Amino acid sequence: MATLKDVLNQNVHVAAPQLCERLDGNRLRCYACGHQCPIPEGQAGVCKVRYNQNGELFVPWGYVGGVQCDPVEKKPFFHAYPGALAYSFGMLGCDLHCGYCQNWVTSQALRDPRAVSSAQRIVPEAMIGEAVELGARIVVSTYNEPLITAEWAVEIFKAAKAAGLLTGFVSNGNGTPQVLEFLRPWVDLYKVDLKSFDQGHYHQLGGRLQPVLDTIRRLHEMDFWLEIVTLLIPGFNDSTEELQRMAAFLAGVSPDLPWHVTAFHADYKMTETPDTTPEMLLRAAEIGKSEGLRFVYAGNLPGQVGDLENTFCSGCGELLIERWGYYIRAYRITAEGCCPKCVAAVPGRWAKRFEGQIAHLPFLPDRSYR
Ligand code: SF4
């Protein structure tokens, strides 16, 4: 019987030339993520999905691990087209191996024998046709790390753009200048999961802090719409000192960067750690504000975090968007993207008018792609 690796190796394409460099001895340097693996002939990179065969870099193509329709608030983007439906696809594999991953069944599919996943062959036109039919405004590569399948995401996003849709990445931010240049024409929204501000912690997850920080700076400079999420894990990344340094860094990039601190619950290999409480989120959010961030949100505990699910004008304090979880209760931003009271511009990407929500909870499309 064919293994998942066999199946994936039948669904490949040659890497984009911008994301591959020839080294000596038939090795290839991959630039799709911050590992920048030098890959010897016959071997795969750290992610296990990009590999060197006969001196060519082969990369995933022509499949998805799954599709789901999410409110854009779930990604989370709070300053980008509130209420829009985000047609979201995931692939298999990851460049990191976080012990608390909530999507480990797909992200660790090639590393962990317990992660049993399958690949569904698909063409971009079928996906985008379904996205349009369902009323989605945004197509998002998410659930696993999209950087490692950047070429395939761009192929899907080309079809999305042709249909007038917006696009987004939900990523760990372990990028390179090369991959960001490659993505820039095709990606509108970018969420980075900043997991810690400590190199030792990143090492435990299989990555490095510096490429993530460099990517956050570049994404902002390159005018992607950027939001940052930190899953607050008790005892891992929640010390006052670490949160202060993290928030100060983000405020230094831009005080207008939305920062979402979200609640952890036990998952995968991290089952002994207690869940994040509302009080822990409130404390982290307070640190974010005191370091100068203007838009700080607390997530995953709807109705338990005071007004930290809502958006307020940073100029006059007017309530602009009222939320409960992913549900938009009230929307008051003007057609020009401004506060209705003081007319200050609200940072973000706004539709001319709020058109309601097709769904405020995730749902699966009612037919498969098999
Ligand atoms: S995507 Fe990252 S982990 Fe995978 S081969 Fe390229 S550089 Fe290595």
Side-chain angles (χ1 to χ4, degrees):
M1 197 175 86
T3 65
L4 178 59
K5 188 163 182 286
D6 296 333
V7 172
L8 294 185
N9 288 356
Q10 289 159 10
N11 290 285
V12 289
H13 196 276
V14 174
Q18 304 94 308
L19 302 184
C20 180
E21 182 190 5
R22 294 194 180 281
L23 304 177
D24 56 7
N26 228 17
R27 294 178 311 149
L28 298 169
R29 171 88 63 196
C30 174
Y31 287 110
C33 90
H35 290 320
Q36 303 193 18
C37 301
I39 311 176
E41 158 74 35
Q43 294 197 31
V46 169
C47 61
K48 310 237 182 270
V49 300
R50 299 170 74 93
Y51 59 90
N52 177 347
Q53 186 172 302
N54 301 323
E56 293 281 7
L57 183 60
F58 286 92
V59 305
W61 194 265
Y63 82 91
V64 291
V67 169
Q68 182 171 288
C69 292
D70 292 334
V72 71
E73 286 72 21
K74 180 174 183 289
K75 308 323 298 176
F77 289 111
F78 274 17
H79 287 233
Y81 310 99
L85 190 67
Y87 185 87
S88 305
F89 65 93
M91 302 289 288
L92 301 176
C94 192
D95 54 329
L96 304 183
H97 48 78
C98 308
Y100 54 84
C101 183
Q102 292 167 0
N103 295 318
W104 66 274
V105 173
T106 51
S107 73
Q108 303 303 312
L110 291 150
R111 281 202 190 93
D112 187 332
R114 294 175 301 155
V116 178
S117 293
S118 61
Q120 304 161 33
R121 296 191 74 158
I122 185 71
V123 295
E125 291 69 25
M127 295 175 69
I128 301 310
E130 181 167 71
V132 169
E133 200 175 299
L134 290 164
R137 295 200 56 207
I138 309 172
V139 178
V140 182
S141 187
T142 177
Y143 306 130
N144 73 322
E145 177 48 48
L147 289 169
I148 67 174
T149 48
E151 291 93 342
W152 176 233
V154 162
E155 189 69 7
I156 294 167
F157 291 167
K158 286 178 180 173
K161 292 271 172 202
L165 302 182
L166 299 149
T167 61
F169 255 34
V170 171
S171 165
N172 60 30
N174 185 28
T176 63
Q178 291 86 344
V179 78
L180 298 188
E181 287 293 339
F182 177 68
L183 294 172
R184 180 57 288 210
W186 307 107
V187 175
D188 301 300
L189 316 175
Y190 205 114
K191 190 219 83 174
V192 170
D193 186 5
L194 180 56
K195 297 167 187 287
S196 167
F197 211 72
D198 180 285
Q199 171 49 33
H201 293 160
Y202 260 96
H203 184 71
Q204 288 176 41
L205 310 177
R208 289 183 300 131
L209 173 62
Q210 196 58 50
V212 181
L213 302 186
D214 293 343
T215 297
I216 288 172
R217 274 200 201 90
R218 278 199 191 93
L219 286 164
H220 179 69
E221 287 164 10
M222 292 170 77
D223 203 30
F224 290 82
W225 178 253
L226 173 63
E227 301 197 21
I228 308 292
V229 174
T230 299
L231 184 71
L232 196 69
I233 304 175
F236 178 70
N237 61 4
D238 67 338
S239 76
T240 299
E241 189 260 340
E242 183 166 346
L243 291 171
Q244 280 173 337
R245 289 194 300 128
M246 186 184 290
F249 164 78
L250 294 175
V253 175
S254 168
D256 287 335
L257 275 186
W259 186 39
H260 304 253
V261 286
T262 59
F264 161 87
H265 63 83
D267 211 324
Y268 194 29
K269 295 176 180 170
M270 200 180 264
T271 52
E272 304 296 317
T273 303
D275 291 355
T276 311
T277 63
E279 293 71 31
M280 292 172 181
L281 290 185
L282 296 177
R283 182 183 136 264
E286 204 44 56
I287 291 171
K289 288 179 182 174
S290 65
E291 293 298 329
L293 288 168
R294 297 181 181 133
F295 301 98
V296 182
Y297 300 102
N300 292 353
L301 295 175
Q304 300 176 59
V305 289
D307 59 16
L308 286 168
E309 298 184 271
N310 300 333
T311 300
F312 295 90
C313 175
S314 62
C316 70
E318 179 78 351
L319 176 63
L320 300 174
I321 305 173
E322 187 180 352
R323 304 180 184 83
W324 194 95
Y326 310 139
Y327 178 60
I328 307 279
R329 282 177 152 163
Y331 183 91
R332 302 196 181 100
I333 293 177
T334 69
E336 293 75 34
C338 296
C339 170
K341 188 171 168 202
C342 73
V343 202
V346 186
R349 302 284 187 270
W350 312 106
K352 287 281 173 221
R353 65 188 179 91
F354 178 63
E355 294 181 340
Q357 285 180 286
I358 290 173
H360 64 273
L361 293 173
F363 67 91
L364 294 173
D366 64 1
R367 59 185 167 83
S368 80
Y369 295 106
R370 288 173 219 283

